[in-house]
Amino acid sequence: MLVPRAALIAYSTEEKTHAGDRRYFLELREIDSQGNMTEGKPVTVEFMNELVRNYSETHSSTPHGRLPSNLLYADTRKGSERYVWYNPPGKRMMYFVGGLGIENAEYHLPGIIYEARGTRLNVYAYKEDQPCMETALYAAPLFNVTGSSVCLGSARIEKPRELTYANLLEYWERKFWLTEFSHLGGHGNPTKSNLVLVTKAARDKPFDLKELKPLKNLKLKDILE
């Protein structure tokens, strides 16, 4: 439960300076146990630093910390946030709606590249173990994806309070992989054969890379510009 501890009162001059700015003064008034404001006193640098630190930790959307080795690109500017990273080929737990007739289980997948931009997520597939600038991008062999655009659905994942780069990437991956796969994207099968059959075949053996469809001759360098 939050209780009021202090009130900040901001004063400013009516006239602007030659630089076009106003002068400001901040006054702090503590609030006693009865809810009354006490006498005013100037705000200290220490108080403002503590206030800003606590507020930033609670509300910041800018990640910090060690850069994960699979992070390829990061733009942390407000309003322009974009992150690109990858998972190498491997197995991943996947969930499906009952109507698809695919069992919830771990399946083999090609390499996956993620592009988080604002509140949107794009995913791509690639064939190598580790991508490079010239790596060709393919349609991700997954349901709920149109082209590269993901339809984020049923998973309700809260953003981490401690927003490190590693936690941010994990948040997006959980948001994607914990959503039930339910439908084909608007472009139909993203694989050369039926996606249901391709997915089932990848449960017990490596994903067949011949099933991947190119995406407009895109290369990794094209989405890192």
Side-chain angles (χ1 to χ4, degrees), residues 158-176:
E158 291 188 7
K159 224 167 191 179
R161 290 179 61 85
E162 180 68 14
L163 198 62
T164 63
Y165 285 100
N167 286 345
L168 179 64
L169 303 193
E170 181 185 14
Y171 159 78
W172 276 108
E173 290 186 29
R174 284 170 55 81
K175 196 173 179 67
F176 178 59

Side-chain angles (χ1 to χ4, degrees), residues 97-171:
V97 296
L100 289 176
I102 307 176
E103 186 177 352
N104 296 337
E106 289 190 344
Y107 292 86
H108 290 275
L109 291 167
I112 299 293
I113 290 175
Y114 307 83
E115 180 188 21
R117 185 193 297 264
T119 59
R120 295 181 291 114
L121 181 67
N122 295 329
V123 292
Y124 311 84
Y126 69 95
K127 291 184 175 181
E128 296 93 332
D129 289 333
Q130 185 171 342
C132 66
M133 295 295 282
E134 295 297 324
T135 291
L137 302 184
Y138 298 83
L142 301 165
F143 293 90
N144 299 11
V145 181
T146 298
S148 62
S149 179
V150 173
C151 173
L152 293 170
S154 57
R156 296 290 179 262
I157 309 297
E158 291 188 7
K159 224 167 191 179
R161 290 179 61 85
E162 180 68 14
L163 198 62
T164 63
Y165 285 100
N167 286 345
L168 179 64
L169 303 193
E170 181 185 14
Y171 159 78

Side-chain angles (χ1 to χ4, degrees), residues 54-111:
N54 278 279
Y55 186 86
S56 297
E57 288 180 355
T58 304
H59 299 280
S60 177
S61 60
T62 303
H64 63 276
R66 184 183 64 83
L67 296 178
S69 59
N70 63 329
L71 179 62
L72 301 170
Y73 179 94
D75 187 344
T76 61
R77 294 174 298 170
K78 295 296 183 185
S80 302
E81 294 92 341
R82 187 163 74 98
Y83 305 93
V84 180
W85 71 101
Y86 72 94
N87 288 157
K91 296 186 77 174
R92 170 75 74 164
M93 184 68 194
M94 298 170 67
Y95 301 90
F96 302 89
V97 296
L100 289 176
I102 307 176
E103 186 177 352
N104 296 337
E106 289 190 344
Y107 292 86
H108 290 275
L109 291 167

Side-chain angles (χ1 to χ4, degrees), residues 123-125 137-140 147-148 187 213-219:
V123 292
Y124 311 84
L137 302 184
Y138 298 83
S148 62
H187 296 168
K213 287 183 178 180
L215 269 180
K216 302 177 183 177
N217 296 317
L218 273 179
K219 294 185 176 181

